[in-house]
Amino acid sequence: MHGEFASADLAFFKDALIVLAAAAVVVPLFHRLRLSPVLGFLLVGLAVGPHGAGMLASRLPWLGFASIASPGAIAPIARLGVALLLFMIGLELSFERLWRMRRLVFGLGGAQVALSALGVDFAARAAFGLGGAAAAVLGIAFAMSSTAVVMAVLSAEKRLPTPAGRAAFAMLLFQDLAAVPALFVLGALRPGGPGGWDGLWPVLAQAVAAVALLVGLGRLALRPLFRGVARMQSADVFVAASLLVVMASGLATAAAGLSMPLGALIGGLLLAGTEYRRQVEVTIEPFRGLFLGVFLLSTGMGLDPALLFAHPAPVLALAGLAAAIKLALIAPFARLFGISWAAGIEAGLLLGPGGEFGFVLLGIGAAEGLLGRGEADLARLATALGMAAIPLLALPGRALAHRRAPAAPAAPAASEEAAPRVLIAGFGRVGRTVGAMLARHGVSFLAIDRDPDRVAAERKRGQPVHYGDMTRPELLRRLHLETARALVVTLDDPGVADTLVALARRMRPDLLIVARARDSAHAAHLYRTGASDAVPETVEASLQLSEAVLVDLGVPMGPVIASIHEKRAEFQEAIRAMAPEAEIRSLGRHRLRDALRRGGGGAAPD
């Protein structure tokens, strides 16, 4: 018994080692080659799968250590990768933004699925001589596209906010919604199928009720859940809570007969409107990339070159015909919905091949006797080849989009959030004052704070505040540091402030960074670290107190202000002495006077 467990454990860890090695090698290599890592994972899956190294392991036993004999062993992790991808997409959206896309989702998406199914059905009858039920199964299966591969390609190339990306996402979302009706169509095609179309409506009602219940519970429970987790200041617990939302929402829709990725998307949409959105994105991102890589590996394992060499004509013809039909339908229909020809063609190229749900439909069709086993195997291979070709099909679409300016409406919120604004790290008393002054002068800002109660209270007042740890580079990227007008660091923890200033300076050498310092020594350290300006709070507070007491004691205003200027200059010289290599500008009223003189506005009043 112990030996069996040891053998099983060894096999599991061997598979995990192969997956991790693929992630560590493929992503940097294909990034350097300027190719999509999606293609790399698919090729690695083919190489280590049962039709690659696994097939040769019987002759060369040492290859057994570099092959995955059972792709089904990693299938649960692969499905979780797709769910995490949709969850991240949901975080980038919101229900309000999704509602604004309803015309594309239900109009363009509905037309794409229905007409693509009919088109492939007709082609299967005419070109391959298939019967009615078999042709219908192929039509429905190839009407679906690969959510995982398409969205991975768009995300990697940062093309999701483009018109082509929005159109592709809308159609993919409708395909997920059409999963239950598609399964019922197959049930109705089966001779003596249970209930025919009459059985569809109760299940649809059950699915709608499950989604409504999930949305209702999510709106009530997510904020309190994450507020309690954030109070613990534990990264591990935050990771657990984030993964809990993905798993629970995905399993809830799967139990209702919908797809698990659709539930994960809803979970992301629910969190998109909360103050924890950005920190959840940073937390989930590493898991999403790794688990999605597992899915792509498993897809590559499904490619059987021997079957392709034995039947090249029908496999390539089916894959090419389905892609051509969908492209010919998507491009003109996208144009009818206000999307440019270039963007429509790009979306059509991406969605032309079949997808992962097509494997499910083909398997059910074969099990129910609607499609022959041999025909199902060829169709699955055609689907896998099409999915593997998506990164290559994206190249001409992207080139066409770059040559022609898109005529579609403006990109969604992701581009709006990249608009230049000031980032404020810490939204306590100092941060709130800075934000109020920026707002008074019409300067937009976004604040980040690690106190969940403070964040919740300020959001109730309508302040643009999110929960998060700005010392994480991933969060700074999510906040679009590359377009920020300035970073204001008001944190009361000197160590954290130093870390953030140094990190922001490395990531953006030209950024204006204004930091709160405790005293002159800390200000000098911040200047050496990379701050553009460091304001020592003890210095300015002591000078203002001195000015107030001297004036109240009856000392004339002129000499008081002059002595304050002199004392401030002394502090400034001390800071310069401690940080001689830094460019240190004047503080307080000296700066105002110098700015007015440079701008021709006259001298500042003394």
Side-chain angles (χ1 to χ4, degrees), residues 22-33:
V25 174
V26 166
V27 175
L29 176 62
F30 275 70
H31 179 74
R32 176 170 292 187
L33 297 175

Side-chain angles (χ1 to χ4, degrees), residues 83-448:
L84 286 168
L85 174 66
L86 268 292
F87 179 76
M88 293 291 289
I89 292 169
L91 285 172
E92 288 293 337
L93 293 170
S94 68
F95 279 107
E96 292 74 18
R97 295 170 197 155
L98 192 60
W99 178 249
R100 290 199 295 268
M101 293 177 62
R102 64 189 182 280
R103 186 167 167 267
L104 287 178
V105 173
F106 295 100
L108 180 58
Q112 179 267 314
V113 170
L115 295 178
S116 296
L118 291 173
V120 176
D121 180 303
F122 178 78
R125 295 170 190 263
F128 300 104
L130 294 178
V137 171
L138 288 182
I140 298 169
F142 279 93
M144 305 298 178
S145 306
S146 176
T147 299
V149 180
V150 172
M151 298 311 295
V153 169
L154 289 173
S155 297
E157 298 176 357
K158 294 182 171 56
R159 295 196 56 77
L160 186 56
T162 65
R166 291 194 304 134
F169 172 72
M171 288 182 273
L172 289 169
L173 180 56
F174 185 87
Q175 290 176 14
D176 280 336
L177 295 173
V180 170
L183 293 173
F184 264 85
V185 170
L186 264 61
L189 289 172
R190 187 183 65 197
W197 296 105
D198 293 336
L200 174 62
W201 304 114
V203 176
L204 282 179
Q206 174 184 327
V208 171
V211 170
L213 182 62
L214 177 61
V215 171
L217 289 175
R219 288 191 179 276
L220 290 174
L222 284 181
R223 266 199 173 92
L225 169 66
F226 277 92
R227 189 177 304 164
V229 169
R231 285 183 183 132
M232 298 180 65
Q233 298 292 313
S234 170
D236 296 338
V237 179
F238 202 92
V239 169
S242 302
L243 292 175
L244 171 65
V245 174
V246 179
M247 296 289 292
S249 56
L251 291 175
T253 51
L258 296 169
S259 69
M260 185 175 178
L262 179 61
L265 174 69
I266 294 172
L269 289 170
L270 290 168
L271 275 173
T274 70
E275 57 268 34
Y276 304 100
R277 165 192 173 190
R278 290 306 184 191
Q279 189 65 28
V280 171
E281 285 179 333
V282 171
T283 301
I284 289 293
E285 179 66 28
F287 296 94
R288 183 208 52 105
L290 182 60
F291 288 175
L292 184 59
V294 175
F295 169 79
L296 297 171
L297 279 171
S298 67
T299 301
M301 292 177 201
L303 297 173
D304 185 356
L307 189 59
L308 175 62
F309 293 143
H311 306 281
V315 172
L316 296 176
L318 180 58
L321 197 58
I325 290 171
K326 290 167 77 174
L327 173 61
L329 290 170
I330 289 172
F333 267 91
R335 190 71 192 96
L336 291 177
F337 281 84
I339 297 171
S340 69
W341 279 106
I345 292 172
E346 183 181 2
L349 288 169
L350 290 168
L351 299 182
E356 47 273 3
F357 190 62
F359 291 126
V360 177
L361 296 174
L362 291 169
I364 293 175
E368 299 292 345
L370 302 172
L371 193 64
R373 290 286 177 182
E375 296 164 342
D377 289 341
L378 294 177
R380 276 193 285 261
L381 179 59
T383 301
L385 285 174
M387 291 171 65
I390 290 174
L392 300 177
L393 292 173
L395 298 177
R398 188 177 65 219
L400 180 62
H402 283 323
R403 281 201 300 267
R404 298 193 177 191
S415 60
E416 295 169 8
E417 291 179 355
R421 59 188 173 185
V422 174
L423 300 177
I424 301 177
F427 209 62
R429 289 174 294 178
V430 178
R432 287 197 299 271
T433 301
V434 173
M437 294 303 297
L438 290 173
R440 177 172 295 184
H441 291 276
V443 179
S444 62
F445 70 91
L446 177 68
I448 302 293

